[in-house]
């Protein structure tokens, strides 16, 4: 397994990975109507559109995508803050280190670009995984959209920042 950059040829498969997770995994924690709404935002064309404004990391087995992580600079926060969005791993590869590898690659990218903070709007389904990866909860309860907002500070002094 390797982490590679996005290529147009991956759009269909990445869409399938996201939709499978929504249907097979996230549906345990969200109502059917919410899952249906989310699916509409992750077709192949939407994945292609993400590539226009986000950095996309792909976990691949050979030439076959098995995971996705998209990264976007903060929309309204200070420079150096990033969002990790659209983080999904093909269900057969859950608990095999693929998600950890994607997060590590994303964190390396953020550091290399002078980033100091990463925010993840985590699903109910995934928040414990991000917590194990060192992300702290900004609130003990999910927000109005059913996300735990989690963050991690990078670089020197990050532990002190995270404690604030």
């Amino acid at each position: 397994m390797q982490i590679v950059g996005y290529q147009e040829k991956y759009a269909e498969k990445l869409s399938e990975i996201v939709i499978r997770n929504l249907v097979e995994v996230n549906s345990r924690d969200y109502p059917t109507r919410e899952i249906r709404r989310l699916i509409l935002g992750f077709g192949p064309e939407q994945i292609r559109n993400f590539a226009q404004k986000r950095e996309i990391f792909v976990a691949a087995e050979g030439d076959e995508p098995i995971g996705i992580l998209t990264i976007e600079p903060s929309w309204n926060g200070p420079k150096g803050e990033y969002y990790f969005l659209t983080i999904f791993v093909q269900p057969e590869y859950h608990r095999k280190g693929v998600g950890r590898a994607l997060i590590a690659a994303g964190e390396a990218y953020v550091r290399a670009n002078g980033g100091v903070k990463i925010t993840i709007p985590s699903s109910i389904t995934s928040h414990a995984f991000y917590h194990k990866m060192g992300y702290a909860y900004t609130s003990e309860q999910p927000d109005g959209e059913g996300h735990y907002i989690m963050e991690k500070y990078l670089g020197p002094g990050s532990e002190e920042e995270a404690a604030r």
Side-chain angles (χ1 to χ4, degrees):
M1 190 266 308
Q2 65 276 358
I3 305 298
V4 299
Y6 172 80
Q7 296 178 39
E8 170 77 23
K9 67 182 180 177
Y10 294 150
E12 297 276 339
K13 182 64 176 179
L14 293 172
S15 171
E16 289 174 23
I17 290 168
V18 173
I19 291 170
R20 276 195 64 203
N21 274 276
L22 291 170
V23 171
E24 296 175 22
V25 182
N26 293 62
S27 63
R28 296 177 206 146
D29 296 316
Y30 294 93
T32 301
R33 73 178 184 286
E34 178 65 10
I35 296 299
R36 287 184 184 141
R37 184 188 69 77
L38 289 169
I39 287 170
L40 296 175
F42 290 102
E45 194 57 37
Q46 286 84 358
I47 300 293
R48 289 181 189 98
N49 289 338
F50 291 159
Q52 302 301 311
K53 59 184 176 181
R54 297 179 185 175
E55 190 67 33
I56 300 179
F57 288 87
V58 176
E61 275 283 309
D63 199 34
E64 186 73 15
I66 59 171
I68 181 173
L69 162 66
T70 70
I71 303 173
E72 194 167 332
S74 178
W75 307 297
N76 55 9
K79 185 175 166 99
E81 293 187 6
Y82 289 81
Y83 286 97
F84 280 11
L85 306 164
T86 318
I87 309 166
F88 293 94
V89 172
Q90 190 168 307
E92 296 79 37
Y93 289 88
H94 286 188
R95 302 189 193 297
K96 295 187 177 180
V98 177
R100 287 185 177 281
L102 284 166
I103 296 294
E107 289 177 358
Y109 170 84
V110 169
R111 281 186 184 95
N113 284 282
V116 295
K117 179 183 171 188
I118 299 167
T119 300
I120 299 176
S122 173
S123 67
I124 293 168
T125 312
S126 303
H127 69 94
F129 166 74
Y130 301 122
H131 188 67
K132 288 180 193 171
M133 295 289 298
Y135 289 80
Y137 296 93
T138 63
S139 172
E140 293 181 22
Q141 299 297 319
D143 66 10
E145 293 183 18
H147 294 110
Y148 284 95
I149 306 304
M150 304 183 78
E151 55 188 29
K152 184 175 189 177
Y153 289 85
L154 305 175
S158 61
E159 290 77 20
E160 299 85 79
E161 288 291 326
R164 290 187 194 171

